[in-house]
Amino acid sequence: MPKIDFEVYLNTNAPAPEREAALTELFQNEDAAGIEYAVVMPSPTPKPDNRALYETAGHQRRAILCCQVNPNEGAAALQEIKQAATEWGMRVLKIMPAIYQVHLTGKVAQTLMTTARDHGLVVNIHSGSEISHPLAIGALCRRFPDVTVLMDHMGYREWVGDAIEAARDNPNLYLGTTIASFEPTTVERAVRELGPERVIYGSNWPNLYSDLAVEAIRRQKLGSEAEALIFGGNLSRILGI
């Protein structure tokens, strides 16, 4: 069963040689963590560069590509999602409500979800501020039960309980360990209340180190079966790897 990191970033604003070096460093850290694959996404800027991501990481067999757009660009953003899915082989769409001021119960979020559904994309949604509150993510998931959603940070730190309740109410919603793994009792709580089938490992590299995140979760002694699901079994099932 492959081990997968569901959220890492590549500095797509950098020149091509620097991007290549960053990609090498990324997978060196994943090697230290015992992780085989990583879902790689572009820098969250006013205009995320999905083409640069594809040109740098599209050849890397260990990279699962995730597109990100500024939805305030309207039709052009939706067209880029389509291109990312159909031409560049990207499997995931990242939604960043705080950066792009996307209200998750509003029309823009629903359009992004519809586009993801139309192209068979898994959706990764940032959590951790009022505009990206876990309960709003839960409301969006309820409206799109046929779209799989990964909630990064699992509402850490203030809203972990709300994230758990949102996942409890929506079987298409999974909680990601990014950042939360550095207070690993948070991950243990989610596993205890929801089961390991609903928790997915992520590092948030380069902001945090994958080897340290993996070790923090392992020290919770969740058991080999739970770890197998969290560290890759769940996401490999979702992505069909």
Side-chain angles (χ1 to χ4, degrees):
M1 187 178 296
K3 292 183 172 62
I4 310 172
D5 183 337
F6 92 96
E7 183 169 280
V8 303
Y9 289 89
L10 183 71
N11 181 7
T12 44
N13 299 319
E18 293 182 22
R19 297 198 305 266
E20 291 286 354
L23 188 69
T24 298
E25 183 181 357
L26 184 167
F27 282 108
Q28 286 174 342
N29 186 239
E30 298 292 18
D31 287 340
I35 300 294
E36 182 176 2
Y37 298 101
V39 179
V40 188
M41 55 198 71
S43 302
T45 64
K47 189 172 177 58
D49 197 339
N50 295 294
R51 182 179 291 276
L53 174 66
Y54 171 70
E55 290 175 350
T56 305
H59 67 281
Q60 169 57 260
R61 71 162 189 87
R62 300 174 64 185
I64 301 162
L65 303 189
C66 170
C67 63
Q68 184 173 187
V69 298
N70 182 343
N72 298 302
E73 294 185 347
L78 303 181
Q79 178 58 36
E80 185 156 350
I81 294 172
K82 178 181 178 180
Q83 183 177 28
T86 60
E87 297 181 26
W88 297 335
M90 299 193 184
R91 306 286 309 279
V92 185
L93 170 66
K94 177 73 177 189
I95 299 178
M96 293 285 279
I99 292 178
Y100 305 117
Q101 294 300 294
V102 178
H103 293 274
L104 293 172
T105 55
K107 183 177 180 180
V108 171
Q110 293 187 48
T111 300
L112 290 171
M113 291 289 282
T114 299
T115 304
R117 181 179 62 196
D118 290 347
H119 296 291
L121 298 174
V122 172
V123 174
N124 174 335
I125 304 180
H126 171 82
S127 72
S129 61
E130 292 288 350
I131 199 171
S132 51
H133 194 282
L135 296 181
I137 296 173
L140 186 61
C141 289
R142 182 170 290 274
R143 295 173 182 177
F144 291 87
D146 50 352
V147 177
T148 298
V149 174
L150 315 177
M151 182 195 299
D152 79 351
H153 313 319
M154 60 172 69
Y156 184 80
R157 188 170 193 255
E158 292 86 353
W159 298 304
V160 172
D162 290 330
I164 289 171
E165 294 309 316
R168 200 190 310 276
D169 289 342
N170 295 279
N172 58 325
L173 177 58
Y174 295 78
L175 302 186
T177 70
T178 43
I179 294 181
S181 60
F182 284 90
E183 192 169 339
T185 54
T186 299
V187 178
E188 186 278 332
R189 177 184 174 187
V191 171
R192 174 167 30 90
E193 297 199 27
L194 296 171
E197 300 83 2
R198 304 296 299 285
V199 178
I200 291 180
Y201 169 73
S203 69
N204 209 229
W205 191 93
N207 298 310
L208 297 170
Y209 294 105
S210 192
D211 56 333
L212 299 182
V214 166
E215 178 61 22
I217 293 171
R218 283 184 171 150
R219 290 194 181 194
Q220 291 303 295
K221 296 180 171 56
L222 302 172
S224 58
E225 292 184 7
E227 287 185 4
L229 292 171
I230 294 165
F231 289 129
N234 293 329
L235 191 55
S236 65
R237 182 184 72 252
I238 290 168
L239 294 174
I241 295 175

